[in-house]
Amino acid sequence: MARKVKEEGQVLTRKRTQLREPGMWKVLLHNDDYTTQEFVVWLLKTVFRKPEPEATVIMLAVHKAGVGVAGIYTRDVAETRAERGRQLAERDGFPLLLTVEENDA
């Protein structure tokens, strides 16, 4: 704590603010029966900047498990990328669902 003494003898204290790392958020892709695997790989490469082999692994995980992590980012970045993915899916006529949730780890 930093202290400063005023002329009248009063002591003013100021608490130092501790900075915390920003929380991390997961962007989740949800499987559906209409969105093509090729589109999901393209989306992962374009919006989430994944190399093709990693994008293919993520797409297969989504296909098999029903949901998969496209990436882990700060909240603003995660929401922006999820929204951009939804826009591109809608533009191409796919009902792909992307959600954002807090990363517990």
Side-chain angles (χ1 to χ4, degrees):
M1 274 189 204
R3 292 183 176 201
K4 184 177 180 181
V5 179
K6 289 182 93 179
E7 292 177 20
E8 300 89 35
Q10 297 174 334
V11 176
L12 300 177
T13 59
R14 179 176 32 147
K15 291 184 180 180
R16 292 190 179 170
T17 305
Q18 291 214 335
L19 298 178
R20 291 183 292 153
E21 291 284 324
M24 300 303 281
W25 295 72
K26 297 185 283 192
V27 179
L28 301 175
L29 290 169
H30 299 266
N31 192 33
D32 62 63
D33 294 333
Y34 302 101
T35 306
T36 64
Q37 293 178 348
E38 293 80 13
F39 177 80
V40 174
V41 169
W42 174 83
L43 187 75
L44 287 164
K45 288 170 46 180
T46 305
V47 176
F48 297 95
R49 300 182 182 141
K50 302 291 183 187
E52 186 152 358
E54 186 178 352
T56 302
V57 168
I58 294 169
M59 176 274 298
L60 290 172
V62 171
H63 181 69
K64 291 178 182 175
V67 66
V69 178
I72 300 174
Y73 310 96
T74 59
R75 185 176 186 174
D76 288 342
V77 173
E79 288 177 350
T80 300
R81 290 193 184 193
E83 181 58 31
R84 182 68 180 140
R86 284 190 287 269
Q87 290 171 352
L88 291 171
E90 184 178 336
R91 180 197 73 185
D92 287 6
F94 294 117
L96 182 64
L97 176 62
L98 291 95
T99 59
V100 175
E101 73 176 36
E102 194 166 11
N103 188 27
D104 297 331

